[in-house]
Every structure is written in structure tokens, then in C-alpha cells.
Amino acid sequence: MPKKLIQRFMPKPETLREHKYLRMFGKLLHKPNLWALNRKSAPGAFAVGLFVAWIPMPFQMVVAAGFAILFNVNLPVAVALVWITNPLTMPIMFYGAYLLGAKILGHKAQAFQFEATWAWIEASISTIGPPFLMGCLALGIASALIGFIVIKSMWRYSILFKWQKRKGQ
């Protein structure tokens, strides 16, 4: 069941191989396990994708692809999962990361008004930057671990269910 569900939403390998930002990986994209959806590659891909989704930077798909190649996990799943952070969810997720980071570092959360300018980023990097990055790291690690465990458990349950179904026939 998880395999069919995941495959329904997974982009086609040809589409990703020809993506303008992923072409830089060249022959590395021809490793078979990057495109296989199995009990070993799927949980790792979820961990990679969920971790990278919390990295506050542009071109997260390229970073996810790099990690998928490095760890030899399913590339389409890893790349697709970074879209959890999108223009609609990013403000909420990253503000939550800032609040968590402030709590972890023992800082008092400051009120601030976000501006999409380089000057604002330079001015704010020393005040809200460390709690924000700490929160992103903590949530990235937690999301990766939870995603890995949940998908690995779902895969195991699915296999056990199929075995039980065969025994009953």
C-alpha cells in the first residue's frame, strides 16, 4: 500500500533527469537505486526530503537531490518532499522554527517585522539568525527521524499484512 500511494505522487525519472538544475549531477542520476521505490530507499528518501525542507535556502530541490545521491535513496521522493516548504507554509514553519530555536538557546523571542530585502537580512542575522537556524536544525532532524521511522514502520506493516493475507488464503 505505501508503495502505490507514494508512486501516485512521485515525479517521473525522465522529468527529473532533464530538470535544468538537476542535470549538473550527470551520470550520477543513472544509479538504479535512486529510482527504485523499496523498503530501503523510501524511508531514507523521506528523511532526506524532510530534513532539507527545513534548510532555509533557495534551490532546496538541488540539495535534496545531492543528498539522495550521496545516501543512495529514492531521488524523486526526496526532491518532492522539499515542497512541504512552499510560499504558503514557509512563513508559519520558519516562524515556528525561530520560536523553538529561541527556546532551545534560552533567548527571549523578539517581535520583528519581516522584510524581503538584503538589508533586513543583514541587520537581523545577528539577532534572530542563531535561534532561527537552531530551530531549523532541530526541526529538520526531528522531521527526518520521524519520517524515517513512520515510513519504515508503514512498509513493514504493509509486508506483514500481505503475508497474513497470503496465509489466510
Side-chain angles (χ1 to χ4, degrees):
M1 172 164 141
K3 185 174 184 175
K4 289 179 184 176
L5 179 68
I6 293 169
Q7 282 179 326
R8 189 178 314 153
F9 297 104
M10 203 164 62
K12 302 278 185 263
E14 303 79 40
T15 307
L16 288 177
R17 279 190 191 119
E18 295 304 316
H19 192 278
K20 63 181 177 179
Y21 295 118
L22 299 181
R23 271 188 251 144
M24 73 172 135
F25 293 114
K27 295 211 184 264
L28 293 173
L29 294 176
H30 295 283
K31 293 162 80 176
N33 202 48
L34 294 177
W35 310 103
L37 191 58
N38 57 46
R39 66 183 173 87
K40 292 183 180 179
S41 68
F46 268 78
V48 165
L50 291 172
F51 178 78
V52 174
W54 286 100
I55 297 175
M57 65 177 284
F59 304 107
Q60 292 171 314
M61 289 177 20
V62 177
V63 175
F67 279 137
I69 292 167
L70 178 68
F71 295 116
N72 202 28
V73 298
N74 187 282
L75 189 136
V77 170
V79 168
L81 281 168
V82 300
W83 284 98
I84 289 172
T85 48
N86 60 63
L88 296 175
T89 62
M90 202 178 296
I92 297 164
M93 291 174 67
F94 285 167
Y95 183 65
Y98 166 70
L99 293 176
L100 177 64
K103 190 171 196 89
I104 291 171
L105 295 175
H107 294 178
K108 186 174 194 256
Q110 302 173 10
F112 60 89
Q113 184 68 34
F114 176 76
E115 295 175 29
T117 63
W118 188 251
W120 182 86
I121 291 171
E122 284 180 329
S124 302
I125 198 76
S126 63
T127 56
I128 66 170
F132 171 61
L133 294 175
M134 175 56 77
C136 286
L137 178 64
L139 288 168
I141 291 170
S143 297
L145 285 171
I146 291 168
F148 182 86
I149 291 167
V150 166
I151 297 303
K152 192 155 186 87
S153 299
M154 284 177 63
W155 210 283
R156 177 170 277 146
Y157 174 75
S158 175
I159 291 169
L160 291 174
F161 181 75
K162 286 179 184 175
W163 285 351
Q164 291 297 330
K165 194 174 176 182
R166 275 190 222 156
K167 282 184 182 180
Q169 289 180 352

